[in-house]
Amino acid sequence: MHFYRQKKRCVGLLRFIAGACVCTGSGAAWASPVDLSNALPNFFGVGVGSTTEYAGGKERIVGVVPGMRYVTSGGHLFEWYGTYAQYNFGSLTGFQWGPALALRLGRRNVDDPVVSQVHDVSTTLEGGGFVGYEYSHVGNVPYRLRGEVTVVTNAGQVYTGARVSLNTSAWFPLHARVFVGGGLGATWVSGGFNQTYYGVTPDDAQKSGLPVFTPGGGLNQITGWLAGIYQFSTSWYAGAMVYYQRLAGDAADSPIVVQRGTRNQLTYGVGIAYAFR
């Protein structure tokens, strides 16, 4: 499915819903101090959204992505969002760390007649780990803050080098059943990554008419998002989100982006989640 080519965007909808489930806890009104560190429900959800066919493109697609959050009996946290999963060996709040896996799907059979002549990119499995910190405010108006750094690589199967992402998020209640969240992020990549996903080889240039382009590494993108969540029953939540990406550095200068697409990428969607103990 084309939709899964950009898992970092639409699967983010599930992260937003999960964050809201954490904030709402049992759904009780927050008229008295609330300790969110003891209010982490298990969670399963589905998001539906629209995004571009590939990073830097203009053509849009629609798709569905699942996700879940599960706290084990030993107090560890497993999170799975579409093509990304991580396991936290640290605390539910405070310092967090563990392994991370991502399925990065390839680029092939795209609708753009010119980009379709550029080399195909195969699907690959990325592995690595993350470290982060989550703060849970205890008080009459609870909120949660989270920061995380993730490093993954595919050990040269499709691209060489690695990808490093920094993401931050914050959730606040507007009402006992209404929550809003937002976040900022950035991603740095190796030259091998950019050459695979944004480069134009001499053979590509001959077939597509685009100029030869050999990008280096560095800042790849900056991101920002806003989301809202409504709890409509004890265990059920609905949400909506808007996610913005701006390609940067050599990725933004690629002819694939400059001549055939846009460096500004917008994703939006809605989702539903069930929280359980």
Side-chain angles (χ1 to χ4, degrees):
M1 293 177 63
H2 292 305
F3 179 73
Y4 286 113
R5 290 195 177 106
Q6 293 306 316
K7 59 96 181 172
K8 289 299 289 183
R9 286 175 281 180
C10 286
V11 300
L13 177 59
L14 278 305
R15 278 188 178 270
F16 304 152
I17 295 175
C21 290
V22 170
C23 282
T24 56
S26 64
W30 31 271
S32 58
V34 177
D35 183 357
L36 293 177
S37 64
N38 296 318
L40 285 163
N42 297 320
F43 152 91
F44 181 80
V46 176
V48 180
S50 172
T51 188
T52 54
E53 189 177 9
Y54 56 91
K58 289 182 177 180
E59 292 79 11
R60 300 197 65 84
I61 50 177
V62 176
V64 179
V65 63
M68 72 175 296
R69 174 189 181 104
Y70 181 74
V71 181
T72 69
S73 58
H76 298 302
L77 176 62
F78 171 73
E79 293 179 285
W80 163 54
Y81 305 107
T83 55
Y84 177 83
Q86 66 181 38
Y87 190 88
N88 175 28
F89 285 110
S91 303
L92 296 180
T93 58
F95 181 66
Q96 302 176 337
W97 65 276
L101 289 175
L103 184 66
R104 175 166 285 275
L105 300 187
R107 182 188 66 210
R108 62 179 66 244
N109 300 322
V110 298
D111 292 335
D112 187 292
V114 174
V115 179
S116 66
Q117 299 302 310
V118 177
H119 64 272
D120 289 340
V121 180
S122 300
T123 296
T124 187
L125 182 65
E126 298 174 309
F130 75 96
V131 293
Y133 191 88
E134 187 164 307
Y135 172 73
S136 174
H137 178 71
V138 179
N140 292 334
V141 181
Y143 60 86
R144 298 185 72 88
L145 305 175
R146 186 177 187 179
E148 186 174 287
V149 175
T150 304
V151 181
V152 294
T153 180
N154 81 332
Q157 295 180 52
V158 171
Y159 67 86
T160 57
R163 183 166 57 86
V164 181
S165 298
L166 169 65
N167 290 289
T168 63
S169 64
W171 280 99
F172 304 88
L174 296 181
H175 183 270
R177 292 180 178 271
V178 180
F179 296 79
V180 294
L184 296 171
T187 301
W188 291 261
V189 301
S190 63
F193 180 96
N194 269 346
Q195 289 164 22
T196 296
Y197 293 95
Y198 299 98
V200 180
T201 68
D203 186 56
D204 295 334
Q206 184 177 13
K207 292 178 180 178
S208 67
L210 295 174
V212 174
F213 183 69
T214 305
L219 180 64
N220 175 265
Q221 66 175 8
I222 57 174
T223 61
W225 59 267
L226 293 172
I229 301 291
Y230 176 69
Q231 181 188 10
F232 57 88
S233 73
T234 302
S235 299
W236 287 96
Y237 303 80
M241 57 78 72
V242 176
Y243 188 99
Y244 171 74
Q245 288 174 292
R246 183 171 175 83
L247 296 178
D250 283 5
D253 294 333
S254 169
I256 296 172
V257 178
V258 174
Q259 296 189 23
R260 304 302 303 180
T262 174
R263 66 188 300 179
N264 298 303
Q265 306 281 284
L266 188 65
T267 296
Y268 46 86
V270 296
I272 189 169
Y274 176 75
F276 58 95
R277 294 291 178 181

